[in-house]
Amino acid sequence: LALIISVVFSTNRSNSFKEIYKYITGLLLFTIAASLTYKDRMHIINTLVYAGFIISLLAIYQYFFGFRHLLNYATKTNITDSFALDYIASRRVYFPFVTPNTLAGYLAMIIPLTLLHKNRIWFIITLSFGLLLTKSLSAFLSLFLALVIYFYLQGKLEKKKIIFLVALLAIISSVFIIRSTAQKQHLKPIFSTIMRLNYWKDTLKIIKANPLTGIGLGNFNLPQTRYSHNSYLQIGAEMGIMGIISILCLVISILKSCLKAIKNSSYKNQVAILITANTVFLIHNLLDFSFFLPEAVYIWWLVLGMIIFKKGEYNNCNTNL
């Protein structure tokens, strides 16, 4: 209903019709994933892990070889834009996505899924290395908070888990220090923080002006950016209050029902991992815009759908990995 209202009252219906397919496709993927058997879900999870592994290899390749090719290309084509050259010089990997933060959010969402694979260690190492090369603080913070939730769902917080979380905090601190020592002001974390705060301030003005219907799907556009860098605020700006409430209610109701259903289930660990991957995406979108990128959000819709199981399936499925 919120989608329909957003299109009907859109300030530019052409843009809205072009954008609505992302939501329709996502909801279809969600519905299909929710109807799959346990075996099919494991096949999809393994496929997502393999795809994440390949993408992390592409990112690692970019770090060691890709930026050199980019600099050579910039030299041959006489590209002198200082921002572009500084961006390349920072060597924050993003291939094959559009920004380092988008790639990082994707890898951080896939990493929890590797825990369901029998050869998990090799996938975890490779994906984590790719994530590290993005130097994305928002993705690392999202993964840290999601893992805290995962360890909580597992029960007792053991000493090795605490050590792991402390080590992850140390990595986050190291990345922050490294990025803070950049010579160019626009490459420092404080610059990104200030810009995001400005984007959020402008987005809130749009929401205040169009609280009920929003400005319409695909119509969000600020002078300096196409995205608000907070997906929830941008959803509110485009779809109005009903839009953001409907999506949050959908997610919260699913998570609450699953947590209740697996309370005394032997399948608790598997669903906890899916919830963790889901949580990474949700937290990361407080600071980024991957919700509006099909290559990232479609994975999220699949993961959200796979959390849902038919009645009785929790205790009947085979949990041998």
Side-chain angles (χ1 to χ4, degrees):
L1 181 59
L3 287 170
I4 294 172
I5 292 175
S6 178
V7 173
V8 171
F9 293 94
S10 173
T11 56
N12 188 323
R13 291 183 184 176
S14 177
N15 286 342
S16 296
F17 279 118
K18 292 177 182 177
E19 189 75 11
I20 197 171
Y21 83 91
K22 296 179 183 177
Y23 290 89
I24 294 174
T25 305
L27 289 168
L28 286 173
L29 287 170
F30 164 78
T31 305
I32 293 170
S35 64
L36 295 175
T37 64
Y38 169 76
K39 185 177 180 180
D40 289 334
R41 291 166 200 255
M42 290 305 300
H43 284 317
I44 289 180
I45 291 172
N46 287 333
T47 301
L48 293 178
V49 171
Y50 290 134
F53 177 76
I54 293 172
I55 287 176
S56 63
L57 290 179
L58 292 175
I60 293 170
Y61 172 85
Q62 182 187 32
Y63 181 81
F64 289 104
F65 306 103
F67 289 114
R68 185 177 63 194
H69 298 324
L70 280 175
L71 287 173
N72 291 337
Y73 175 80
T75 302
K76 290 179 181 178
T77 54
N78 296 319
I79 294 176
T80 57
D81 183 87
S82 59
F83 185 87
L85 294 176
D86 291 340
Y87 194 78
I88 296 172
S90 67
R91 298 184 73 186
R92 292 184 61 194
V93 300
Y94 57 87
F95 186 71
F97 290 84
V98 293
T99 69
N101 284 334
T102 305
L103 171 62
Y106 166 81
L107 293 177
M109 179 170 50
I110 298 298
I111 286 174
L113 299 181
T114 63
L115 298 175
L116 290 173
H117 198 281
K118 59 182 179 180
N119 297 320
R120 66 191 71 179
I121 186 64
W122 299 109
F123 292 100
I124 291 174
I125 292 174
T126 306
L127 269 72
S128 298
F129 187 45
L131 176 60
L132 181 62
L133 297 179
T134 65
K135 303 174 186 176
S136 172
L137 290 170
S138 59
F140 270 110
L141 286 171
S142 302
L143 183 60
F144 173 81
L145 294 174
L147 287 176
V148 170
I149 294 174
Y150 172 64
F151 292 148
Y152 171 78
L153 292 176
Q154 281 193 319
K156 186 179 179 181
L157 190 62
E158 301 171 354
K159 184 178 180 180
K160 62 180 181 180
K161 295 177 182 178
I162 297 176
I163 294 174
F164 176 81
L165 291 175
V166 171
L168 187 55
L169 276 178
I171 293 174
I172 295 173
S173 301
S174 300
V175 171
F176 178 81
I177 293 172
I178 291 172
R179 288 186 55 187
S180 298
T181 56
Q183 294 182 348
K184 304 294 182 178
Q185 186 67 26
H186 58 264
L187 298 178
K188 296 182 178 182
I190 188 65
F191 178 84
S192 298
T193 302
I194 293 173
M195 293 301 293
R196 279 179 168 82
L197 291 174
N198 290 331
Y199 297 156
W200 299 348
K201 184 179 179 181
D202 292 339
T203 305
L204 287 172
K205 291 180 181 178
I206 296 175
I207 295 175
K208 187 177 180 181
N210 306 272
L212 298 178
T213 62
I215 57 176
L217 301 178
N219 292 328
F220 184 87
N221 197 18
L222 297 178
Q224 293 179 299
T225 179
R226 167 70 181 82
Y227 302 101
S228 173
H229 289 262
N230 181 311
S231 294
Y232 306 99
L233 289 179
Q234 187 164 337
I235 292 171
E238 291 190 349
M239 297 175 60
I241 296 175
M242 185 184 293
I244 186 63
I245 289 178
S246 63
I247 290 179
L248 290 177
C249 285
L250 172 67
V251 173
I252 292 172
S253 63
I254 290 171
L255 295 179
K256 283 180 64 177
S257 63
C258 291
L259 288 173
K260 184 178 180 180
I262 66 170
K263 193 172 182 180
N264 299 310
S265 170
S266 59
Y267 195 59
K268 184 175 182 179
N269 184 56
Q270 283 85 335
V271 177
I273 287 172
L274 289 171
I275 291 175
T276 303
N278 197 292
T279 304
V280 171
F281 182 87
L282 294 173
I283 296 175
H284 188 246
N285 273 271
L286 287 168
L287 300 169
D288 205 61
F289 51 85
S290 55
F291 182 87
F292 297 95
L293 303 177
E295 60 268 32
V297 73
Y298 288 167
I299 305 299
W300 173 71
W301 281 114
L302 279 173
V303 174
L304 183 65
M306 286 190 291
I307 296 176
I308 302 174
F309 278 76
K310 302 180 186 71
K311 235 176 193 182
E313 191 173 353
Y314 286 100
N315 295 317
N316 295 329
C317 60
N318 180 9
T319 57
N320 294 321
L321 301 181

